[in-house]
Amino acid sequence: MKRIKLTVAYDGTDYCGWQVQPNGITVEEVLNRKLSELTGEKITVIGASRTDSGVHAQGNVAVFDSDTSIPPERIAYALNRKLPEDIVVIRSEEVPLDWHPRYQDTVKTYEYHILNREMPDPVRRRDTYFVSYPLDLDKMRSAAEYLKGEHDFKSFCNIRTDVEDTVRTIYDLDIMREGSLITVRIRGNGFLYNMVRIIVGTLLRVGRGFYTPEKVKEILDAKERTAAGVTAPPQGLVLVKIEYPAGG
């Protein structure tokens, strides 16, 4: 028996998120089915990050255990021949049997992509959030400074969050513009349910002039979801990568 780690990219548009659920097809469900076909075993993957419906990934991580004779580094190639075009295994490798993608320290990087121009682009409708009104990026960057570091992000998580500890650390939060594309890149030690999308929704309120940058500190201190902006839609969000500083 060996444990195989997969680095997985996917376009989440047509999936009901990562985690298996009864009301629609998910990325995890497809991986389980295709890995079972490939190995001839009953395979159930363990994922590192349970992305929501419509959210994309360039570097989510999952593991599974198998007795397959296929070399670990070749599983990605064999599996990709079976997977649909919107799911790709970037890399496969063997890890220790006790290595778990969730029960250790990680650094996660997300990007949120905003198409900011007068008219929408049908080509980018699946991977950007279209915003037609002007945005003041300098004010958004000033607001983002209040979110860096260790804070209680209770105001920036969905009310259905079932975790007791809502303290997280944001290492970097950058807002960049190239032409009509605005990218919000955020790197931290973990994220609460809908946290990145609520941060983006709040920063957009700042960019439009509805909130001052200083308002973001008030929202943090309130520790109340209703104090923050709306949750930005899922299609602009991408899980870029998950880093394991201790190895793996």
Side-chain angles (χ1 to χ4, degrees), residues 186-235:
I186 183 167
R187 181 173 174 267
N189 69 347
F191 295 91
L192 302 163
Y193 183 33
N194 285 166
M195 179 174 160
V196 176
R197 290 165 57 192
I198 296 170
I199 285 174
V200 171
T202 303
L203 292 176
L204 285 172
R205 299 282 288 178
V206 174
R208 199 172 180 182
F210 294 144
Y211 294 165
T212 64
E214 295 75 21
K215 175 74 172 176
V216 172
K217 185 180 185 306
E218 297 177 22
I219 294 170
L220 270 173
D221 294 340
K223 299 180 178 62
E224 173 59 52
R225 171 65 188 95
T226 57
V230 300
T231 305
Q235 70 268 19

Side-chain angles (χ1 to χ4, degrees), residues 8-12 18 27 49 51 55-58 60 86-88 239:
V8 189
Y10 47 88
D11 176 344
W18 169 273
V27 177
S49 188
T51 53
V55 174
H56 316 295
Q58 294 174 334
N60 205 346
D86 52 7
I87 302 176
V88 175
L239 172 57

Side-chain angles (χ1 to χ4, degrees), residues 34-53:
K34 296 304 181 181
L35 278 167
S36 297
E37 291 177 9
L38 179 66
T39 64
E41 305 164 296
K42 176 66 173 177
I43 299 293
T44 301
V45 302
I46 302 170
S49 188
R50 297 169 180 173
T51 53
D52 291 337
S53 177

Side-chain angles (χ1 to χ4, degrees), residues 54 56 111-121 123-133 135 140 177 180-184 196-205 208 229-238:
H56 316 295
E111 286 185 356
Y112 194 93
H113 300 137
I114 301 162
L115 186 66
N116 186 213
R117 64 186 210 173
E118 186 176 354
M119 295 294 179
D121 181 351
V123 176
R124 300 302 305 269
R125 73 190 187 281
R126 294 167 67 100
D127 67 344
T128 61
Y129 174 36
F130 170 62
V131 173
S132 61
Y133 46 80
L135 294 170
M140 292 172 67
R177 181 170 196 132
S180 60
L181 183 66
I182 296 171
T183 299
V184 180
V196 176
R197 290 165 57 192
I198 296 170
I199 285 174
V200 171
T202 303
L203 292 176
L204 285 172
R205 299 282 288 178
R208 199 172 180 182
V230 300
T231 305
Q235 70 268 19
L237 186 60
V238 181

